[in-house]
Amino acid sequence: TGVATMKFKSPPVNSLSLEFLTEFSISLEKLENDRACRGVIITSALPKIFSSGLDITEMCGKSVEHYGEFWRAVQEMWLRLYGSNMVTVAAVNGSSPAGGCLIALSCDYRIMAENPKFSIGLNEAQLGIVAPFWFKDTFVNVVGHRTAERSLQLGSLHPAPEAHRLGLVDELVPEEKLMEKAAAVMAQWLALPDHARQLTKTMMRKAVVDRLVAHREEDIKNFITFISKESIQKSLRMYMEMLKKKKG
């Protein structure tokens, strides 16, 4: 059909580890290079979670070199997905905080399971960390400046109905209809000539992509400086402890 389906399967919560990000970027590159592939539907193979976002263990108690390598992989994933020539549809079948939300935001269209227990948002502020400028730009381009500003400052996670009202997701459908709806939306987008759609997408997204490309090394340095601070490491350790207690 010219459409690939990519399912995240990294239990328990599809957190974006260095290995996961690398594999994701390689998979996207392979699909991009496959002439027969015109679109990709991105979803999760795990129930109730799309992706929990960046793997905190990659950012806690590691070397400066590791932080640099990890952040470069995060950038690479976003540049490939946000700048993709393919039609990208996110079928969000569970909660999607932080980096998981970024993946959904980077797609052309977002459909979310109609379940008020599922939430989505860039909640970095809650962990005492700051969403980078390119996360922010991607968010602003989807929901507008005021909604993005309030949501980012408060580190809000929006339940599915609220996310739909804010325009963070384009549609809500019953969970069992999610993939069927994603296929229907994909067909609608692929009915157009590829070149016109691709050139329009590039034009709409170019300024944001170019900004990261121009400041990539600086962005990595900023991340390393920020994440290496003892106060930030302490915040992350506390958050990891809290997660352990929740599991317990």
Side-chain angles (χ1 to χ4, degrees):
T1 60
V3 178
T5 301
M6 196 190 279
K7 290 186 178 181
F8 298 154
K9 194 177 182 182
S10 181
V13 289
N14 291 334
S15 54
L16 307 176
S17 63
L18 180 57
E19 186 186 7
F20 185 108
L21 289 163
T22 306
E23 201 171 314
F24 185 26
S25 291
I26 290 168
S27 301
L28 276 174
E29 186 179 17
K30 281 180 183 165
L31 293 175
E32 201 78 55
N33 291 336
D34 180 349
R35 284 274 171 85
C37 185
R38 298 173 64 211
V40 58
I41 295 167
I42 295 173
T43 192
S44 166
L46 307 180
K48 298 181 185 166
I49 189 85
F50 180 69
S51 165
S52 66
L54 301 183
D55 187 341
I56 289 177
T57 61
E58 300 280 14
M59 301 186 274
C60 201
K62 298 281 199 295
S63 68
V64 165
E65 291 73 26
H66 183 87
Y67 296 147
E69 190 186 359
F70 175 65
W71 198 246
R72 191 176 292 281
V74 180
Q75 292 178 336
E76 189 61 35
M77 177 275 291
W78 178 78
L79 287 167
R80 286 209 171 277
L81 184 57
Y82 197 66
S84 175
N85 271 324
M86 298 180 286
V87 174
T88 52
V89 174
V92 183
N93 56 334
S95 287
S96 194
C101 177
L102 180 73
I103 289 175
L105 286 170
S106 301
C107 292
D108 296 313
Y109 201 83
R110 285 158 290 287
I111 308 161
M112 191 166 182
E114 199 171 16
N115 185 335
K117 287 183 180 167
F118 297 162
S119 60
I120 183 168
L122 294 177
N123 62 321
E124 280 79 356
Q126 284 190 33
L127 318 187
I129 54 181
V130 179
F133 71 85
W134 42 284
F135 283 50
K136 181 269 296 177
D137 289 345
T138 311
F139 199 30
V140 168
N141 284 354
V142 172
V143 300
H145 198 280
R146 176 62 191 136
T147 298
E149 182 180 9
R150 189 177 57 219
S151 186
L152 284 169
Q153 284 201 49
L154 294 172
S156 304
L157 282 175
H158 305 284
E162 188 183 301
H164 182 233
R165 200 181 75 244
L166 295 174
L168 179 48
V169 295
D170 297 299
E171 260 182 273
L172 294 182
V173 296
E175 217 164 328
E176 64 278 7
K177 296 262 172 71
L178 195 63
M179 296 311 286
E180 186 189 320
K181 185 67 194 181
V185 167
M186 181 63 78
Q188 187 190 356
W189 283 61
L190 289 180
L192 278 82
D194 281 346
H195 65 279
R197 181 191 53 73
Q198 286 164 354
L199 286 169
T200 304
K201 180 174 179 176
T202 303
M203 175 176 68
M204 295 299 292
R205 298 188 171 197
K206 189 176 188 306
V208 177
V209 171
D210 285 355
R211 195 171 160 207
L212 177 59
V213 171
H215 298 285
R216 208 168 167 181
E217 295 309 316
E218 187 188 333
D219 183 57
I220 292 170
K221 278 187 193 138
N222 287 344
F223 173 76
I224 292 170
T225 305
F226 181 74
I227 215 73
S228 302
K229 282 181 183 162
E230 185 44 44
S231 59
I232 302 302
Q233 286 292 309
K234 191 178 168 187
S235 280
L236 293 175
R237 283 196 298 272
M238 280 165 64
Y239 185 69
M240 281 163 72
E241 281 304 313
M242 188 187 81
L243 289 180
K244 274 181 198 158
K245 278 182 190 151
K246 266 190 185 171
K247 276 180 200 161

